[in-house]
Amino acid sequence: MNQNMLRYVLLGLIVILLVGCTSNTIQPYTNTSNKVTMINTTNSTYNSKNVFGGVNRERYNITQEVFQELPQAPSDLLSMREAMKTQRLLDLCDITSDYYLQPELYPNFDVDPLGKSKFGSGVNWFQKNDSTRWGVIGYGVYPSDIYIQTSKEETFSSCMFLHTSWGIETYQGTGISYTFPEISKDENGLVVNTQNSTITSQYIQVLVEPKDYLLTPTYPVFSKDWATKVKFNINIAKNTPSGVYVVALTLGKPSYNKGQEWVKQYLGSYIPSGGMYGMDRPMYRVFIEVN
Amino acid sequence: MNMRYWALMLFALIVASGLTYASTVTTTVKYIVPNDLSFTITYPTATTEMWFEPSSQTEEKNATNQTSTTPIIIYTNTGNIAEFYNININTNNPASIVLKCAPLNAGYQSSCGCEGAGTMSASQCCNITTGSSRVNVSSTAISATQTMWCWAQFTSSPAGTTTKTMTSTSAAS
């Protein structure tokens, strides 16, 4: 083999090597598990804004009239959902109704969190279409806990989404307020925080909006007000001792005037919240670590 | 250019490409999934509340529209975390009325095995009081359902209407 041949062989090897490097594609991120999220941070496909594509509702095999009252689903809705689910996106106050009125934003609508069913319980509800029963009471909050580190003399906002549960055909009037729970527990029932609510109220000022809200039906179609954004404006006083404080959302009856207005409007389809049903833990908690 | 130059270039490219490739396998693993606490309660069609209407002052009645195969309430866990369901009423019933509930129709007992705070079972009902009674022995999984049957036992009850607020609460398990 002479030198020229060797040069060509080496050149060929270099070309093969270069082509191999540039075509070394990594599989795009796919959500194969709801418990573990593996993210390749240098994958160019992952870094694009809309890696998950748009919502395809045809595959639910239900009438598309179910969604007719909702705004058009944003093309990056599923990417937004993933950012919330993986808690990379914690500031939810800027999320607009175009997003939070789409049922796919929430767990267990089109995706079964356990991975056992083709769809979540939301889509399954429409597919089942059980005419022997009707959904009377049901609501949810997403997310249910948020953790914030802040400093004294700070003011910030914390938001979550209050929504009617799947399959509800009634109008549920709710009054939204807050408490400082003395005891907070985790999912396993272990105490994660204790506080004196009277003392905490001296340092943490909270303003909640809206104060009253009418949760509207999700069946047989999603109504245009089936979900809303609830905003907590929180102020930390200058003399607040360092520590962790908890502010919790409570859902009770709406104000008298609002309740009367709604019952006149919806009569037998109106159900006031705060009496017949509720949760035995706050539906939403803000854990505030003051440094 | 001699062979040494080409060999050096090839070596440098192999090293460089190896370094470049090694830097693309950064992986982040997260285990935290935000919870959505929600549940849906269904009644039989045309039922908006649990209602008992005896035809005599001493009688045991099914909840209206409840049958041996149709529970008055079905809870569905529409969130993404397993849940427990508890029920209670805002004030205790008069002595002439006993409200009983069980997770299965077979749980009916003429005299319930638990009262107030306690856990119903497939073969045991609870008298519903201001103390919370747990409907499900084990937590209801995501998307799963939990049934509940209820009966009211009237004993020499005076005529009239007694209204109680029953609270169904859901707890993350």
Side-chain angles (χ1 to χ4, degrees):
Chain A
M1 193 181 293
N2 60 31
Q3 279 200 347
N4 277 339
M5 273 191 69
L6 273 170
R7 281 177 191 160
Y8 288 127
V9 168
L10 285 170
L11 263 171
L13 281 170
I14 290 167
V15 168
I16 290 167
L17 190 65
L18 286 172
V19 170
C21 286
T22 52
S23 65
N24 175 32
T25 53
I26 299 166
Q27 289 299 309
Y29 167 62
T30 53
N31 179 24
T32 54
S33 164
N34 289 296
K35 293 292 182 189
V36 180
T37 302
M38 299 184 71
I39 300 169
N40 188 312
T41 55
T42 57
N43 185 320
S44 60
T45 307
Y46 167 74
N47 285 332
S48 70
K49 188 183 175 190
N50 191 17
V51 65
F52 295 96
V55 173
N56 175 12
R57 287 173 172 158
E58 297 291 338
R59 69 191 181 92
Y60 303 157
N61 199 24
I62 58 177
T63 173
Q64 296 303 295
E65 291 175 0
V66 164
F67 309 103
Q68 67 185 5
E69 292 186 25
L70 303 181
Q72 187 173 2
S75 60
D76 59 353
L77 175 67
L78 300 185
S79 295
M80 180 70 82
R81 170 172 79 181
E82 202 63 17
M84 286 176 62
K85 194 175 88 173
T86 55
Q87 297 192 340
R88 283 177 290 132
L89 180 63
L90 295 174
D91 181 2
L92 308 180
C93 291
D94 292 334
I95 295 180
T96 60
S97 59
D98 287 0
Y99 288 90
Y100 67 70
L101 285 175
Q102 310 299 336
E104 288 86 357
L105 189 70
Y106 303 88
N108 209 356
F109 178 72
D110 58 319
V111 176
D112 176 11
L114 298 176
K116 293 178 178 175
S117 174
K118 184 177 180 184
F119 297 112
S121 65
V123 171
N124 288 341
W125 200 286
F126 287 100
Q127 289 181 335
K128 187 173 63 178
N129 192 24
D130 181 1
S131 60
T132 66
R133 306 192 67 84
W134 72 309
V136 179
I137 302 158
Y139 54 81
V141 166
Y142 180 67
S144 58
D145 288 324
I146 196 159
Y147 300 83
I148 292 172
Q149 287 182 311
T150 188
S151 305
K152 296 158 192 173
E153 228 177 341
E154 284 287 335
T155 299
F156 59 90
S157 298
S158 177
C159 295
M160 53 81 181
F161 305 109
L162 171 65
H163 63 86
T164 308
S165 296
W166 318 135
I168 297 297
E169 300 178 52
T170 59
Y171 293 81
Q172 304 172 91
T174 57
I176 303 168
S177 59
Y178 68 91
T179 59
F180 300 109
E182 300 266 336
I183 298 172
S184 297
K185 295 179 180 178
D186 67 8
E187 294 165 17
N188 300 312
L190 299 173
V191 175
V192 292
N193 181 271
T194 58
Q195 65 184 353
N196 182 312
S197 57
T198 305
I199 293 174
T200 300
S201 66
Q202 294 169 6
Y203 300 114
I204 314 282
Q205 284 84 49
V206 183
L207 183 67
V208 183
E209 54 188 34
K211 293 193 181 308
D212 294 320
Y213 194 75
L214 183 68
L215 288 164
T216 57
T218 52
Y219 194 88
V221 302
F222 280 96
S223 54
K224 63 182 179 61
D225 297 318
W226 76 278
T228 191
K229 179 166 55 184
V230 177
K231 187 175 187 180
F232 278 45
N233 293 303
I234 299 172
N235 175 256
I236 311 296
K238 186 178 180 180
N239 59 341
T240 305
S242 297
V244 177
Y245 304 88
V246 183
V247 183
L249 167 83
T250 59
L251 292 175
K253 288 181 179 173
S255 64
Y256 176 80
N257 288 341
K258 271 292 175 191
Q260 288 301 300
E261 177 187 325
W262 290 331
V263 76
K264 285 175 197 167
Q265 191 170 354
Y266 298 107
L267 298 175
S269 295
Y270 176 73
I271 305 285
S273 178
M276 190 160 172
Y277 54 94
M279 293 263 187
D280 75 342
R281 61 144 280 182
M283 299 203 71
Y284 178 69
R285 297 181 297 197
V286 187
F287 290 80
I288 307 164
E289 184 179 340
V290 179
N291 297 310
Chain B
M1 273 186 262
N2 56 24
M3 283 294 294
R4 188 180 295 172
Y5 174 82
W6 284 103
L8 274 170
M9 264 192 76
L10 179 62
F11 178 71
L13 277 166
I14 291 169
V15 170
S17 63
L19 288 173
T20 306
Y21 182 74
S23 69
T24 64
V25 293
T26 307
T27 298
T28 303
V29 180
K30 294 184 178 182
Y31 294 91
I32 304 165
V33 177
N35 293 333
D36 182 322
L37 287 172
S38 66
F39 65 97
T40 291
I41 292 176
T42 64
Y43 288 153
T45 305
T47 308
T48 55
E49 57 192 353
M50 199 180 296
W51 179 252
F52 301 91
E53 194 169 7
S55 53
S56 66
Q57 290 180 311
T58 298
E59 188 180 2
E60 182 115 13
K61 286 292 289 186
N62 270 322
T64 301
N65 293 330
Q66 171 181 293
T67 69
S68 61
T69 55
T70 303
I72 183 63
I73 280 180
I74 298 179
Y75 299 86
T76 302
N77 180 353
T78 50
N80 66 347
I81 185 170
E83 294 175 339
F84 279 110
Y85 304 116
N86 303 304
I87 59 168
N88 69 289
I89 49 178
N90 59 339
T91 57
N92 284 323
N93 281 314
S96 59
I97 301 173
V98 178
L99 175 63
K100 309 170 181 181
C101 293
L104 290 176
N105 188 50
Y108 169 80
Q109 295 172 297
S110 56
S111 180
C112 286
C114 83
E115 178 159 335
T119 301
M120 306 170 196
S121 72
S123 57
Q124 174 176 285
C125 59
C126 277
N127 294 340
I128 307 304
T129 68
T130 54
S132 288
S133 301
R134 179 167 283 181
V135 180
N136 38 356
V137 178
S138 56
S139 61
T140 299
I142 298 166
S143 301
T145 58
Q146 173 64 55
T147 56
M148 189 171 74
W149 272 259
C150 292
W151 310 266
Q153 183 179 318
F154 298 86
T155 306
S156 302
S157 295
T161 300
T162 301
T163 301
K164 296 291 175 185
T165 298
M166 175 181 284
T167 303
S168 294
T169 59
S170 167
S173 66

